[in-house]
Amino acid sequence: MQLSKPRLSFMQIINMNVGFFGIQYSFGLQQSAVNPIYDFLGAKPDEIPLLNLAGPMTGLLIQPIIGVLSDRTWHPRFGRRKPYFFIGALFCSLCLFLYPFSTSLWMAAGLLWVLDAANNTAMEPYRAFIADKLPAPQLATGFLTQSFFTGLGITLANISLFFFQKYIPGQHGAIPYWVFGSFFLGSICSISSVMWSITKTPEIPPTPEELAVLRAQKKGILQPFIEIGEAIVHMPVVMWKLALVYLFQWYALFCYWQNASKSIAQSVWKTSPSENKTLYEEAVGWAGLVNGWYNVVTFLSAFGLVWMAKKFSPKKVHIICLLMAGIALLAFPQIENKYLLFVPMAGFGIAWASMMGIPYLMVVNDIPKEKYGVYMGIINMMIVIPMILQTTTFGWVLNNFLGNDSGKAISFAGVLLLLACAATLLIKDVKPEEEIQAVSVGGH
């Protein structure tokens, strides 16, 4: 990459991040619709964590390898990161189209593996794409614009679940027709939004010297694994500290996503999937609305966090946000009025915006520029390892210590988020470089 990167206008930063909208719509469906589909297909509560193993496992296997490969890629026409966005989005769209046709747990779980592999193929090259394109003073805006589109994509996914559940009756086998509507819409959003960013944003070509280095790199099937291992050995200290934060943070988030619908059914509708399927469907629709709300807050607050991170430092912002999220999940299962659920989830939404962007600001200046891809993949390993721990251990914890009680599972997640907040205190407090111009959602 060039040593001096040109500043981009605000609309250019928006255009380069639009593709994140489609990727996150898919992620929103995974948060809110996949586990209810497992419920519709007859899964037991303590089977749900293991059925979600696809996400973390594919992230662990796919993202670092794709990161290394994208670091080592350059094509004059297709670029460095873009081929991975396109392939990931294409397979994601196909899986979203097929998913609601699942007729058994093994089929749903198998499609989730392919869907997650596709999402992971697109995700971390996209993070590296931002670091490739933007000069240091604009990185905060770049990463938190991704938070904006994260919130927007997941919001549409969740609101579609609520809307279609109200207006599309009937079902195909065990799966209601309203699930089909949400997944078909996601299939369209995934490929179309990524194509928008690909066509609107050119990549920065390597200099002749950088191109010579790329061509001189060792080839071979094992080379990506060797490079990942070397990167981990030489990983900046701040990334090890972030790994501790992520251990608590992402274990907690998986507990919430797996149990939100059942917790709402339990506290508001006083039922469960096995007791009353009709009322549980209402709870699933309401969970979609609640999750949609916190993601509305996410995209509304994302650019405010840009200003706060510059004024107070990314570390301080993330500490406050994790504190709000922990308190929100402790309160969530105690609320019996479905409308009051939106109050704590507003704080959770601000925290979700921070989780999607702020941690990258805490580490990006310590990452070698020629290794953005592999280190973004390693950061994702820090996300998926806690998820693997959660999917392989939480079923046992839920069954033996929490009485298969989804409300207690949400409270447990709240405690873990408070521990993540405490772990963030260990990270060095550094302010990002200030931007020359003010940034707002409406312009530049």
Side-chain angles (χ1 to χ4, degrees):
M1 271 74 69
Q2 295 172 344
L3 293 177
S4 180
K5 302 173 188 176
R7 289 182 63 90
L8 301 187
S9 71
F10 183 66
M11 283 311 301
Q12 287 174 314
I13 295 175
I14 290 289
N15 283 332
M16 73 186 293
N17 280 292
V18 165
F20 226 64
F21 165 78
I23 294 170
Q24 293 300 318
Y25 185 108
S26 172
F27 188 54
L29 289 179
Q30 288 178 237
Q31 282 184 12
S32 297
V34 165
N35 289 309
I37 287 175
Y38 287 152
D39 292 327
F40 294 145
L41 293 171
K44 298 175 183 177
D46 57 331
E47 293 176 335
I48 295 293
L50 199 57
L51 287 167
N52 280 272
L53 188 59
M57 281 302 296
T58 55
L60 182 64
L61 297 171
I62 297 291
Q63 289 205 17
I65 295 172
I66 293 296
V68 171
L69 293 176
S70 69
D71 281 341
R72 298 161 66 91
T73 296
W74 177 255
H75 189 279
R77 180 178 178 186
F78 301 114
R80 169 175 277 128
R81 316 292 184 185
K82 287 181 181 180
Y84 301 95
F85 307 166
F86 175 75
I87 293 169
L90 180 61
F91 277 90
C92 181
S93 291
L94 291 172
C95 287
L96 289 173
F97 180 82
L98 294 172
Y99 202 89
F101 291 100
S102 297
T103 55
S104 62
L105 281 173
W106 71 264
M107 181 178 176
L111 278 172
L112 184 62
W113 278 83
V114 181
L115 177 62
D116 264 305
N119 271 336
N120 284 311
T121 299
M123 183 78 72
E124 287 321 302
Y126 221 130
R127 300 282 193 195
F129 183 50
I130 301 305
D132 288 343
K133 283 285 292 183
L134 295 176
Q138 289 191 304
L139 286 172
T141 304
F143 284 124
L144 285 161
T145 300
Q146 288 195 343
S147 294
F148 172 84
F149 280 111
T150 294
L152 192 61
I154 299 178
T155 296
L156 181 58
N158 285 290
I159 290 177
S160 75
L161 290 171
F162 175 77
F163 181 83
F164 292 147
Q165 191 263 333
K166 291 295 183 185
Y167 296 104
I168 302 180
Q171 63 184 57
H172 176 79
I175 310 299
Y177 281 134
W178 52 269
V179 173
F180 284 77
S182 294
F183 276 79
F184 289 171
L185 181 58
S187 181
I188 295 169
C189 289
S190 178
I191 191 66
S192 61
S193 64
V194 168
M195 287 304 298
W196 177 276
S197 289
I198 286 175
T199 56
K200 292 287 184 179
T201 311
E203 294 197 63
I204 300 176
T207 64
E209 294 80 9
E210 290 168 335
L211 195 56
V213 171
L214 278 177
R215 289 172 175 167
Q217 287 179 331
K218 293 180 181 179
K219 305 293 192 294
I221 296 174
L222 295 179
Q223 194 57 38
F225 298 96
I226 294 171
E227 195 165 332
I228 291 166
E230 290 174 348
I232 292 173
V233 169
H234 297 101
M235 193 162 70
V237 173
V238 68
M239 290 184 64
W240 290 106
K241 294 179 180 179
L242 181 64
L244 180 62
V245 176
Y246 273 9
L247 174 63
F248 298 118
Q249 176 181 301
W250 287 99
Y251 195 112
L253 290 172
F254 243 40
C255 291
Y256 169 75
W257 292 324
Q258 290 168 9
N259 291 278
S261 297
K262 289 190 283 289
S263 177
I264 292 174
Q266 182 177 298
S267 62
V268 176
W269 275 271
K270 311 300 181 185
T271 191
S272 68
S274 59
E275 292 172 345
N276 191 317
K277 184 179 178 182
T278 301
L279 286 180
Y280 179 61
E281 284 191 32
E282 286 191 42
V284 171
W286 198 260
L289 197 63
V290 168
N291 288 340
W293 162 247
Y294 86 67
N295 282 286
V296 167
V297 175
T298 293
F299 73 75
L300 291 177
S301 61
F303 292 109
L305 292 184
V306 175
W307 176 82
M308 291 184 67
K310 289 188 294 181
K311 184 173 178 63
F312 301 109
S313 83
K315 172 185 171 178
K316 289 186 177 70
V317 170
H318 202 54
I319 287 172
I320 293 169
C321 288
L322 287 174
L323 181 62
M324 289 192 297
I327 293 170
L329 293 195
L330 288 174
F332 190 87
Q334 313 304 322
I335 297 172
E336 298 182 0
N337 184 316
K338 64 182 181 180
Y339 297 102
L340 289 180
L341 290 169
F342 295 100
V343 177
M345 297 314 286
F348 188 88
I350 296 171
W352 182 236
S354 179
M355 293 173 198
M356 289 292 95
I358 293 295
Y360 297 93
L361 292 177
M362 292 193 283
V363 301
V364 70
N365 289 328
D366 291 289
I367 296 174
K369 292 179 173 56
E370 68 278 5
K371 299 288 185 182
Y372 279 148
V374 65
Y375 275 113
M376 291 299 170
I378 290 171
I379 289 173
N380 191 69
M381 291 174 67
M382 299 174 187
I383 294 172
V384 300
I385 289 172
M387 288 182 175
I388 291 171
L389 288 173
Q390 195 274 349
T391 57
T392 54
T393 64
F394 190 66
W396 181 80
V397 172
L398 185 63
N399 192 37
N400 290 279
F401 292 97
L402 302 177
N404 269 338
D405 187 312
S406 294
K408 291 179 180 177
I410 302 292
S411 297
F412 181 77
V415 172
L416 291 179
L417 286 174
L418 295 180
L419 290 174
C421 177
T424 309
L425 293 168
L426 300 175
I427 294 176
K428 185 180 178 182
D429 205 356
V430 178
K431 287 188 180 182
E433 295 184 40
E434 292 194 7
E435 293 192 356
I436 296 171
Q437 59 189 20
V439 178
S440 66
V441 176
H444 58 89

